[in-house]
Amino acid sequence: EEYDDEKIHLKIIGHEIYMIKLLLEWIYSGDIILPTTMNEVIKLSELSEIFMIDDLTNRCQEDIINHVNVDNVVEILCNNSVPNEDHSNYLLSPIILKHCKSFFLKEFQEILLHDKDVEMKICKIPGLVTSLLTHKTESKSSSKKERKVTFSLSQNEIHSTPMVVDRYNDGLSSISGSSYDRSNLTRD
């Protein structure tokens, strides 16, 4: 087949040419200097998700998560927590949205010191307060789940020195005290 030297025009509506250039640079080189503003990184993340460029999406998400702070978390949540027109998903990826919600709830007192209008801002966004409270409830219930683990020691493994078992939500963290052979530990 013969190819014409005609240029192909691709119309990408709703995205700045700067973002398209960054996307293309990533495709061709595998590396870019990310934008300096949070909103631009969020837009690039959204664009990379549309074009299914997972490595760029992950890079943007990592950058966003690393730069969330008390000065910008409210803006991020308020500008990006609104459902799309079809109400099927949010502008932010679930990973970033979850991180921002957790950060907001954890650092609320500090955020309130930096932004006296925080309550007014979050109340203006339909569903945001409910989403934050639901997230808090889900976080509490998942952190309270404890597994009960019982260990049996053979008679010759029991020593006179007491053992201290530190247990956390994710199970057995450490055992200290007398020497023991872990291979003889069994779960009941």
Side-chain angles (χ1 to χ4, degrees):
E1 290 182 31
E2 284 187 47
Y3 294 97
D4 291 337
D5 287 337
E6 293 180 34
K7 293 181 180 180
I8 297 174
H9 295 278
L10 180 62
K11 206 178 228 186
I12 302 174
I13 301 171
H15 296 281
E16 298 171 20
I17 192 72
Y18 170 66
M19 293 296 146
I20 305 299
K21 285 181 180 180
L22 285 174
L23 185 76
L24 290 173
E25 185 179 337
W26 179 271
I27 291 170
Y28 287 108
S29 72
D31 192 30
I32 58 170
I33 296 173
L34 290 174
T36 55
T37 69
M38 184 69 74
N39 283 333
E40 287 178 337
V41 178
I42 290 170
K43 288 177 184 176
L44 183 59
S45 175
E46 179 186 331
L47 189 61
S48 66
E49 282 186 65
I50 290 169
F51 287 98
M52 294 183 252
I53 305 172
D54 295 338
D55 49 349
L56 178 57
T57 302
N58 293 338
R59 171 108 183 265
C60 291
Q61 289 178 351
E62 185 179 301
D63 188 72
I64 293 165
I65 288 170
N66 288 335
H67 290 95
V68 170
N69 59 47
V70 294
D71 295 320
N72 65 16
V73 70
V74 173
E75 180 184 351
I76 294 168
L77 286 170
C78 289
N79 291 339
N80 300 287
S81 293
V82 180
N84 291 336
E85 288 94 26
D86 64 358
H87 299 285
S88 62
N89 57 5
Y90 290 87
L91 299 176
L92 283 177
S93 75
I95 294 168
I96 297 171
L97 195 58
K98 182 179 179 180
H99 176 76
C100 288
K101 287 177 185 179
S102 295
F103 184 89
F104 178 87
L105 294 169
K106 182 180 174 193
E107 301 295 333
F108 181 73
Q109 294 299 323
E110 188 72 23
I111 293 167
L112 196 54
L113 291 174
H114 282 80
D115 186 354
K116 300 292 183 197
D117 296 328
V118 67
E119 189 175 353
M120 294 297 292
K121 290 177 182 177
I122 64 171
C123 287
K124 287 181 181 178
I125 308 301
L128 182 55
V129 173
T130 302
S131 178
L132 287 167
L133 293 174
T134 303
H135 180 77
K136 181 173 180 137
T137 304
E138 289 170 356
S139 296
K140 274 187 171 181
S141 65
S142 68
S143 68
K144 286 186 178 181
K145 292 179 184 173
E146 262 190 53
R147 293 183 293 157
K148 183 177 181 183
V149 180
T150 307
F151 293 92
S152 301
L153 297 173
S154 64
Q155 193 63 25
N156 58 355
E157 288 290 320
I158 299 174
H159 300 283
S160 60
T161 309
M163 269 197 307
V164 177
V165 178
D166 293 327
R167 245 182 38 156
Y168 297 98
N169 290 338
D170 59 347
L172 184 65
S173 177
S174 66
I175 299 177
S176 59
S178 63
S179 61
Y180 63 94
D181 179 7
R182 284 183 184 230
S183 63
N184 290 335
L185 288 175
T186 58
R187 282 188 164 184
D188 288 338

